[in-house]
Amino acid sequence: MTSTRPSVDLSLRDAYLRRLGFDAPPPPTAATLFAVHRAQVERVPYESVWVWLGERRTIEPLDSVRYLAGGRGGYCYHQNGAMATLLGWLGFHVHWHVGGVQGHPDAKANVDGNHLALTVSALPTADNPGGEWFVDAGLGDGPHEPMPLRTGTYTQGPHTYGLRPSEVAPGGWRFDADPSMSLHGMDFLPGEATPADLTAEHERLQAAPDSSFVRTLVAFRRDADGVDFLRGLVLKRLDATGETIRELTSAPEWHSCLADLFGLTLSEVDTQRKTLLWHRVTAAHEKWLAGSRQ
């Protein structure tokens, strides 16, 4: 089991399972692994709304479970940190790894800790007798389901992904993104990681002016057929039929989108903070439009 797994908190576990659509703890089988992963990316958004609300978070496993079980989402440290904790509580052998996202082809591939990657071991199936799996709910428009941790290409809905040995992380792995995705790829180290290995990058990503999460509010929701992606006020849908784009032009429409499409009701956020959030996102959108015109 991963060394980052805390002791079971039954109330948190059950609240998290309910959000994922489970009435009771399922057994640690391959079918459960797939079901949990699908439920995670379908029901819990990858998002940075909390950053734009001025909130600050830790990446301690129990805190990540609390954020998600309580109705929010998060970025990779929270999505994968919470899912790894739940899987560990259910009896899976889960492992944290230091990863690095390569945002675009011209960027340098890295393992700088800007991503938490996960693997699951000791779970053999007829299609994957080695029993090792790559699982990742923290890549936004990334995989809908786990993939065998072996070299190959894997098609899920409109996306095709690749896995191969990493060229920058000896003994580690490289995830090659579909060309339509918001990133180019991700590498991760082979060894077991802990929150301490990732905390510095988390602090930068949640607060630094040059962080993409500070510069732009995002929310993703993945399903079997495609992905919904909110960037500021611009909503996109990508599936087998192509890409549709529309701009959300009013606060009620934008908040309804967060609630209805991404599951972020923000019920615990007061009206004043919601209004301030809308004004911040609108100002950032107008600044982006002005830059585009230039």
Side-chain angles (χ1 to χ4, degrees):
M1 302 291 182
T2 175
S3 59
T4 58
R5 188 188 72 175
S7 300
V8 180
D9 183 312
L10 294 178
S11 61
L12 268 183
R13 182 201 65 184
D14 293 346
Y16 190 5
L17 284 171
R18 285 194 297 272
R19 188 172 187 197
L20 297 184
F22 294 90
D23 295 328
T29 64
T32 293
L33 179 65
F34 275 66
V36 167
H37 196 289
R38 287 192 296 260
Q40 179 86 11
V41 297
E42 291 176 3
R43 294 169 175 254
V44 182
Y46 177 102
E47 52 95 1
S48 65
V49 175
W50 56 278
V51 174
W52 284 67
L53 282 167
E55 299 172 359
R56 290 294 178 264
R57 292 185 173 183
T58 80
I59 58 171
E60 291 301 318
L62 281 179
D63 286 339
S64 293
V65 175
R66 290 187 185 100
Y67 303 140
L68 274 57
R72 295 292 197 90
Y75 54 27
C76 66
Y77 307 116
H78 308 115
Q79 287 278 3
N80 285 340
M83 186 170 68
T85 302
L86 176 63
L87 290 172
W89 286 344
L90 294 177
F92 290 91
H93 295 264
V94 193
H95 313 278
W96 284 36
H97 304 275
V98 172
V101 168
Q102 182 184 14
H104 54 84
D106 295 332
K108 185 178 179 182
N110 71 89
V111 280
D112 294 342
N114 62 29
H115 186 71
L116 165 60
L118 301 179
T119 60
V120 168
S121 63
L123 190 66
T125 66
D127 294 333
N128 185 18
E132 291 190 276
W133 301 87
F134 171 65
V135 295
D136 204 314
L139 288 172
D141 48 354
H144 182 240
E145 297 179 332
M147 292 179 277
L149 190 61
R150 61 170 184 256
T151 301
T153 57
Y154 304 91
T155 298
Q156 299 179 6
H159 295 124
T160 298
Y161 312 112
L163 283 174
R164 56 186 170 90
S166 173
E167 297 175 0
V168 298
W173 287 86
R174 165 76 175 189
F175 166 82
D176 288 313
D178 183 271
S180 68
M181 283 179 62
S182 58
L183 63 144
H184 185 62
M186 187 273 296
D187 294 81
F188 63 92
L189 294 168
E192 191 97 11
T194 68
D197 299 314
L198 302 159
T199 297
E201 269 301 294
H202 162 61
E203 293 296 341
R204 184 186 72 81
L205 290 171
Q206 74 169 338
D210 64 342
S211 164
S212 62
F213 299 104
V214 173
R215 295 198 310 265
T216 307
L217 180 145
V218 297
F220 291 88
R221 187 194 65 85
R222 185 75 162 85
D223 57 48
D225 299 317
V227 61
D228 297 295
F229 174 21
L230 179 67
R231 181 182 176 90
L233 302 184
V234 178
L235 178 65
K236 296 183 180 182
R237 168 71 184 177
L238 174 67
D239 56 30
T241 65
E243 185 179 70
T244 58
I245 303 174
R246 67 185 178 99
E247 182 179 337
L248 307 178
T249 58
S250 70
E253 181 184 29
W254 188 77
H255 281 292
S256 292
C257 175
L258 284 182
D260 299 338
L261 187 57
F262 297 98
L264 290 172
T265 61
L266 304 181
S267 57
E268 76 286 6
V269 179
D270 62 40
T271 301
Q272 183 177 1
R273 291 180 67 207
K274 286 182 180 178
T275 300
L276 180 59
L277 173 64
W278 166 251
H279 288 321
R280 291 189 65 196
V281 176
T282 301
H285 182 72
E286 291 173 349
K287 182 177 179 181
W288 172 74
L289 286 176
S292 300
R293 297 189 191 101
Q294 292 176 0

